[in-house]
Amino acid sequence: MLTTAPRGTRDILPEEAAQWQYVESNIRQCCLLYGYGEIRPPLFEHTELFLRSVGETTDIVEKEMYTFRDRGGRNITLRPEATASTVRAYLEHNLYAGPQPVKMYYLGPMFRYDRPQAGRYRQFSQFGIEAIGTQDPTMDAEVISVALDFYCRLGLTGLEVQLNSIGCPKCRQDYRQALLNYLSQHRGQLCRTCLSRLDRNPLRVLDCKEEGCQAITADAPRMLTYLCSECDEHFKAVQECLQSIEAHYVINPALVRGLDYYTKTVFEIVWPGLGAQAAICGGGRYDGLIEECGGPSTPAVGFAMGLDRVLLAIQKAGAAVPAAKTPLAYVVALSAADNQEAFRILTRLRRADIISDKDYRQTSLRAQLKAADRSRARYAVLVGGIERTQGMVAVRNMTTGEQHEIPLDQLITFLQEGR
RNA sequence: GUGAAUGUAGCUCAGUUGGUUAGAGCACCAGAUUGUGGCUCUGGGGGUCGCGGGUUCGAAUCCCGUCAUUCACCCCA
């Protein structure tokens, strides 16, 4: 226990962290380009916020939340997603009073008590964006476009955008009733979990993978034919926007999504190489959520993207990640008596912004050079011997093996010119 | 939450029907080379066989529990 991270958590060690930093820097560039400002909400919130926003009957709320009472007796939950926090912050800081829409992004860990497997963790990282304050279909298209541009920057290809509209509360209610009537007639052929879905959330029967259920839902009424004129027009406009920017998508009428707050546009982006956990990004419009949380009626749209899965995908796809920066110089002490002088020179190099290192083991010249080689430093700087008495160091080019003495006071200039 | 598979050195894996001191390759450290890395050779360190219990004269091997990982279901990111 003492030497094992809790189930579903893991350490990201320096080698992998470099890949994360690369991905994160692309996120920040992308958001800058599209005009999204960063929001850093707390990692935990009042439990009530998630109950209200995510929905009481969702899997997240029913079985996946890390909930506890703090020492002051407050009911607290580690955030399972960040849209709720973003909306809360929008209201808490009266952002609706400023220019609309408010476009924000977030980046960081989320927590869900779920059974871990490849691409699924109890602490996982999401990048998400939210555009609050407009129902313009170009906003929906922009949100999808941000995700696609981001994948493009990473060199990730072979993604599929699945798109659907689940309407507004008005037309969805009509559809829900029609679907319920239809499914009730075929009650006997539904699987056990779908039977329980019937009263709670019949739309979810649509994406059941059981063969029997699929046979029935194949002929079920379609949401898209029940959309009211406003929702229908909006959905068509979103599609036209996507087509106009050559963003490819497929319509998946079975796409429902597991959170209660979605309205109109919903989408998922899938990278098939990830197997069972192939959904790499999911999002949609949530025109009712802000009001539900006690604010003015305000439309909004956003997505959340699983970065652990993005990392898995670029690793599996072999997408290029820039090579880690290696030291320019590796300082070597010829004898133990030169160790302190080597350290002094090393410090001067670092103060001159030269990436550099040394061996800290007080070991043989041979071992130090081996370490220099392994650090993939461009030069080894050898300190000691007669050179030291002459105010010189030996600089060895680790690629060519060439070596020559240069005066200590010219070392920094030499290294700066050499890079 | 349900079902299944797996767990031996830092990594990848051997380990016979239960039988003496549990092995290999790679990696690591040192020497060959007393002021010079990569290649080669030689040597060395490193294991509570995931953990706990049971069966047995004897368990890495068989049984039970537990923890972890992976896969499927569920769900999503």
Side-chain angles (χ1 to χ4, degrees), chain A residues 49-68:
Chain A
L49 175 66
F50 299 117
L51 298 185
R52 180 65 70 88
S53 61
V54 175
E56 309 243 6
T57 64
T58 58
D59 279 12
I60 290 179
V61 166
E62 280 187 345
K63 50 187 197 191
E64 295 175 3
M65 294 207 305
Y66 277 93
T67 297
F68 58 96

Side-chain angles (χ1 to χ4, degrees), chain A residues 14 44 63 67 80 92 114 117 119 124-125 139 142 202 227 240 244 248 280 302 337 390 413:
Chain A
F44 55 83
K63 50 187 197 191
T67 297
E92 182 166 347
D114 204 347
Q117 65 187 65
F124 59 100
S125 204
M139 197 70 254
E142 175 180 290
L227 290 180
E240 282 165 15
S244 74
H248 301 291
I280 207 171
Q390 297 163 348
T413 323

